[in-house]
């Protein structure tokens, strides 16, 4: 189990560096298509479930959107999977044993033609002065260094991929109070009309 976790961490770090390199060199082209946010989120949760179970973290997906018909968003499925795996994986990594991580899909009141994706945790939290720095890459807070290993590129990659989708990664957090990462994507039908 420990070896498998180490292998998964190496795979994740390698994938992040390779994708970051492709993104920066302009070789990472997005293919936008109708994408089920729910399906991509469920796949991320199933992939990360063993990590959550090892820490006895309650991991769940909530949605206030009807399951049928599915409301696809305008996104590149591979890039979106990378973002969700990074956000949910970080939430698990930086949440203490016995905590909780909740992924949520909803429609914000404003801009009903968009879908909001949120990852909330009961983790260590982030100080206001560190929020922008962790998105700039290769930066980790002192608290995060004590909890888990990493290179500090996952959030930068997620931020840049979301910007290529015309979105923005937002953070609400405070030390010891957990974190909330969120972004929105346009519904496919609305984007096609526009």
């Amino acid at each position: 189990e420990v070896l498998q976790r180490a292998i998964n961490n190496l795979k994740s770090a390698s994938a992040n560096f390779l994708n970051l390199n492709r993104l920066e060199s302009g070789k990472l082209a997005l293919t936008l298509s109708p994408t089920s946010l729910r399906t991509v989120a469920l796949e991320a949760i199933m992939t990360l479930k063993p990590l959550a179970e090892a820490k006895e973290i309650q991991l769940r997906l909530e949605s206030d959107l009807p399951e049928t018909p599915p409301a696809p968003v305008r996104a590149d499925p591979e890039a979106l999977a990378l973002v969700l795996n990074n956000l949910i994986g970080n939430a698990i990594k930086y949440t203490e044993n016995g905590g909780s991580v909740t992924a949520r899909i909803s429609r914000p009141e404003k801009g009903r033609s968009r879908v909001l994706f949120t990852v909330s945790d009961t983790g260590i939290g982030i100080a206001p002065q560190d929020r922008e720095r962790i998105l700039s890459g290769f930066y980790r807070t002192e608290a995060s260094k004590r909890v888990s290993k990493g290179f500090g590129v996952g959030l930068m990659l997620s931020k840049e991929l979301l910007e290529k989708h015309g979105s923005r990664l937002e953070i609400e957090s405070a030390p010891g109070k957990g974190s909330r990462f969120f972004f929105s994507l346009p519904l496919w039908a609305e984007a096609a009309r526009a």
Side-chain angles (χ1 to χ4, degrees), residues 15 24 37 39 44 46 62 70 73 86 91 103 122 131 150 171 174 177 184:
E24 288 177 347
L37 185 53
T39 300
M46 292 311 295
E62 298 176 348
V73 293
N86 269 320
T122 59
R131 288 189 209 143
I171 307 170
K177 305 277 187 192
S184 68

Side-chain angles (χ1 to χ4, degrees), residues 86-187:
N86 269 320
L87 295 180
I88 297 169
N90 278 353
I92 294 168
K93 237 193 315 191
Y94 298 112
T95 296
E96 293 178 1
N97 290 13
S100 68
V101 172
T102 302
R104 180 163 181 71
I105 302 168
S106 59
R107 279 222 191 143
E109 287 305 311
K110 294 177 185 172
R112 297 199 49 87
S113 63
R114 296 182 74 83
V115 175
L116 182 68
F117 184 80
T118 306
V119 177
S120 304
D121 64 55
T122 59
I124 61 173
I126 305 159
Q129 66 271 18
D130 289 323
R131 288 189 209 143
E132 284 304 312
R133 291 181 74 188
I134 64 169
L135 295 176
S136 65
F138 301 101
Y139 176 80
R140 299 184 66 231
T141 67
E142 289 306 314
S144 73
K145 290 176 189 174
R146 287 191 295 272
V147 174
S148 182
K149 294 180 180 170
F151 297 100
V153 296
L155 286 177
M156 179 176 70
L157 179 61
S158 296
K159 174 185 141 295
E160 292 191 15
L161 286 171
L162 287 170
E163 286 173 357
K164 283 195 162 281
H165 281 84
S167 187
R168 180 176 162 85
L169 182 58
E170 304 280 352
I171 307 170
E172 291 176 355
S173 186
K177 305 277 187 192
S179 299
R180 180 176 176 259
F181 287 80
F182 56 100
F183 62 89
S184 68
L185 291 170
L187 286 168

